[in-house]
Amino acid sequence: MTLVDPIPDRLLKSSARQSYDPEVDIDWEAPPVEGLFWMQPERTSLFGTPMWESLSPEQQVELSKHEVASIASVGLWFEILLMEILLRDVYRNDPREARTHYALTEVADECRHTLMFGKAIGTFGAPAYGPRDHIRKLGRVFPPIARGAAAYASILIGEEPVDRWQRDMMKDERIQPLVRMVSRIHVLEEARHVTFAREELEKSVRTMSRAERLWAQTLTAQAAFVMMRSLVNPAVYAAVGLDPQEARKVAVTNPNHRATIAWMGEKVMPYLEEQGMVGGGVNRKAWRGSFLLP
């Protein structure tokens, strides 16, 4: 007999009613529209700097393409880590429960998302930049140590800031139709994932010890720092003839870029504070270094 849990059961029904197949629901053969950006220019990492102004309009469009390819490939990397976390959770849980059924449904969603992101990057004609090599190696240790509140708070950091960015982008007619459609699909399905992660986090924090809370705060803060600092791989700048290391320095100190990351986190950060998942001291320093907190 299936064991019913109200929120997972509702999410299962929502998944059955409305899910997308990117192989069918996206026109992969449509050519790009000449002159359109691939992400909002004002959200690019160099916007507002003399380095951005030194680029021609064509180079600015090209940089937007490579930055969105970087963000998508980092998102793809994170989705794979998320699937491993969920499957480790499923392995420990009752296969009769609606919660387990929804976790498996979310894994299926994420499989389609990684396929969609990978295919989109290939269609852009850009590299799948992903995080830098040392971050990719570090990511291997995350799923085995991320459980309970630490896992679900980190999942929210991986999902909610990018979700806000995509919600804004999918409505912007300056953006390539392919990017807008990928964003629309991801936003629709991620809404269910965010609901599930918030529910799981709230259940976890109610039973945490003080030591468990500190561990969860530390792991989440480090995940936030790594994720936000990895969104734009420095290699993207070479695509428009800029020195990657010099451009990276400009981006990291760019007030507009920092404000963009803070804007992406405006919804999730008060929630994590409310759940006691931010903390103080070294952890708050890491949050500030992620640019999600001022």
Side-chain angles (χ1 to χ4, degrees), residues 72-149:
S73 58
V74 169
L76 187 157
W77 166 75
F78 180 79
E79 303 278 30
I80 292 169
L81 296 180
L82 166 56
M83 284 189 275
E84 186 176 343
I85 290 169
L86 288 171
L87 286 172
R88 285 174 179 271
D89 206 6
V90 165
Y91 188 83
R92 294 187 288 265
N93 292 329
D94 190 333
R96 301 172 299 165
E97 293 180 350
R99 179 184 179 279
T100 304
H101 300 168
Y102 179 72
L104 288 168
T105 300
E106 185 167 326
V107 170
D109 288 345
E110 301 297 14
C111 281
R112 292 194 303 275
H113 294 170
T114 55
L115 182 155
M116 178 172 68
F117 290 158
K119 194 159 186 173
I121 296 164
T123 303
F124 297 171
Y129 292 100
R132 287 173 288 178
D133 287 344
H134 69 286
I135 298 298
R136 192 182 295 275
K137 291 174 183 175
L138 186 63
R140 294 174 185 166
V141 306
F142 184 70
I145 63 174
R147 295 182 63 175

Side-chain angles (χ1 to χ4, degrees), residues 231-283:
L231 288 176
V232 181
N233 189 310
V236 304
Y237 303 117
V240 292
L242 297 174
D243 177 80
Q245 298 310 314
E246 183 61 30
R248 170 73 171 181
K249 291 176 185 176
V250 171
V252 168
T253 57
N254 179 10
N256 186 73
H257 179 55
R258 291 178 175 230
T260 291
I261 301 294
W263 167 82
M264 289 167 68
E266 275 181 354
K267 185 177 178 182
V268 70
M269 290 310 302
Y271 173 77
L272 291 175
E273 287 267 26
E274 179 186 302
Q275 297 301 317
M277 291 302 298
V278 175
V282 173
N283 288 335

Side-chain angles (χ1 to χ4, degrees), residues 148-285:
Y152 286 100
S154 298
I155 286 169
L156 289 171
I157 285 298
E159 290 182 336
E160 291 211 46
V162 172
D163 179 78
R164 188 169 198 202
W165 172 67
Q166 289 186 311
R167 283 178 185 273
D168 195 48
M169 189 157 58
M170 71 186 193
K171 299 177 289 188
D172 194 327
E173 294 185 358
R174 297 174 298 167
I175 308 302
Q176 293 287 345
L178 172 60
V179 176
R180 294 175 66 195
M181 187 60 186
V182 167
S183 298
R184 187 172 293 111
I185 290 173
H186 196 239
V187 160
L188 175 74
E189 297 186 340
E190 286 296 294
R192 296 191 290 261
H193 303 177
V194 167
T195 298
F196 182 65
R198 285 189 174 214
E199 171 71 5
E200 292 301 307
L201 175 60
E202 288 168 22
K203 286 192 293 189
S204 295
V205 298
R206 287 196 289 266
T207 59
M208 282 195 303
S209 68
R210 189 171 181 176
E212 288 170 334
R213 184 180 296 275
L214 180 58
W215 167 246
Q217 289 171 344
T218 301
L219 194 58
T220 306
Q222 293 304 313
F225 182 87
V226 168
M227 185 69 180
M228 295 301 106
R229 289 293 191 102
S230 296
L231 288 176
V232 181
N233 189 310
V236 304
Y237 303 117
V240 292
L242 297 174
D243 177 80
Q245 298 310 314
E246 183 61 30
R248 170 73 171 181
K249 291 176 185 176
V250 171
V252 168
T253 57
N254 179 10
N256 186 73
H257 179 55
R258 291 178 175 230
T260 291
I261 301 294
W263 167 82
M264 289 167 68
E266 275 181 354
K267 185 177 178 182
V268 70
M269 290 310 302
Y271 173 77
L272 291 175
E273 287 267 26
E274 179 186 302
Q275 297 301 317
M277 291 302 298
V278 175
V282 173
N283 288 335
R284 190 162 288 267
K285 185 177 180 180

Side-chain angles (χ1 to χ4, degrees), residues 52-63:
W52 170 264
E53 297 300 330
S54 74
L55 300 174
S56 68
E58 293 76 19
Q59 286 176 311
Q60 291 174 351
V61 168
E62 186 71 6
L63 181 59

Side-chain angles (χ1 to χ4, degrees), residues 29-59:
E29 302 301 320
V33 179
E34 187 175 353
L36 290 187
F37 282 92
W38 298 79
M39 63 180 285
Q40 308 100 313
E42 64 272 16
R43 302 293 183 201
T44 55
S45 62
L46 298 179
F47 185 84
T49 67
M51 187 173 280
W52 170 264
E53 297 300 330
S54 74
L55 300 174
S56 68
E58 293 76 19
Q59 286 176 311

